[in-house]
Amino acid sequence: MWVATDTAKNTRDILQEKFCGKPGQEQAYGTGMIPGDLLVRRTVKHGLADAFESVFVRHVSGGISTLQFKSYDQGREAFQGTRQHRIHLDEEPKLEIYTECLLRLLSTVPGEPNGTLALTETPMLGVSDLMITFLPDLSPEPDAVPAAAWDMGEGEEIVVDENV
């Protein structure tokens, strides 16, 4: 599983604290959402004091799951390459990072389900490209003409797109 937000410092101060406990306080390790008895080991992130790169968590199945801490300031390339089952993006990423994360969740094995993405954010950036993907009516295109729809009375609906 990946968790990420805008900067490495915010990843440590917000997400790492929520999952593992207060950074820099060894006695707090294991007081976050992941109970201490399930935390198997951790790796440190170089260049930022008290930050973790990964934590390894004992899974209910008996196996070990990996939680990796990432940040958008690492760029899209940091989100390439590996299949993920879960991704949590906290605060709005650039569209290219969001898209890369969606690709990491796709299954390439027939019958295997795709992963899930949780996006938690306050749209402080206004009407961004990412927000338009969720709310296309917010698009600032000046020539956009809304589609018209009529109910035909028997459950059928005719939609006329005047842009075609």
Side-chain angles (χ1 to χ4, degrees):
M1 177 176 172
W2 290 344
V3 295
T5 193
D6 55 353
T7 66
K9 183 179 180 308
N10 283 342
T11 299
R12 178 197 64 194
D13 294 348
I14 299 168
L15 298 176
Q16 181 181 312
E17 179 176 0
K18 296 292 184 213
F19 283 95
C20 301
K22 186 135 180 88
Q25 295 182 5
E26 190 59 32
Q27 72 278 11
Y29 182 64
T31 61
M33 291 189 298
I34 303 171
D37 62 328
L38 298 181
L39 292 166
V40 177
R41 71 182 181 93
R42 61 194 168 196
T43 61
V44 298
K45 182 174 187 65
H46 297 286
L48 184 63
D50 303 317
F52 301 151
E53 185 80 34
S54 303
V55 292
F56 299 87
V57 182
R58 190 171 327 286
H59 190 268
V60 68
S61 69
I64 304 294
S65 295
T66 305
L67 172 62
Q68 291 183 294
F69 295 96
K70 294 182 169 287
S71 59
Y72 311 150
D73 61 5
Q74 293 177 280
R76 182 194 57 78
E77 294 79 9
F79 294 84
Q80 291 179 172
T82 61
R83 165 99 164 75
Q84 297 297 311
H85 295 282
R86 307 278 181 271
I87 298 175
H88 174 210
L89 302 177
D90 184 45
E91 298 309 336
E92 185 173 343
K94 290 184 178 176
L95 186 57
E96 62 196 19
I97 289 174
Y98 176 79
T99 303
E100 192 68 43
C101 287
L102 289 179
L103 292 171
R104 299 304 117 223
L105 295 167
L106 292 176
S107 171
T108 58
V109 177
E112 182 179 283
N114 293 325
T116 57
L117 185 140
L119 174 61
T120 54
E121 64 139 314
T122 305
M124 300 299 291
L125 302 177
V127 181
S128 65
D129 290 340
L130 182 59
M131 287 300 96
I132 290 171
T133 64
F134 291 105
L135 303 164
D137 291 343
L138 296 179
S139 178
E141 295 177 29
D143 298 335
V145 177
W150 294 275
D151 186 344
M152 298 305 290
E154 294 183 18
E156 287 191 35
E157 187 177 276
I158 296 176
V159 176
V160 178
D161 186 343
E162 297 176 15
N163 292 319
V164 179

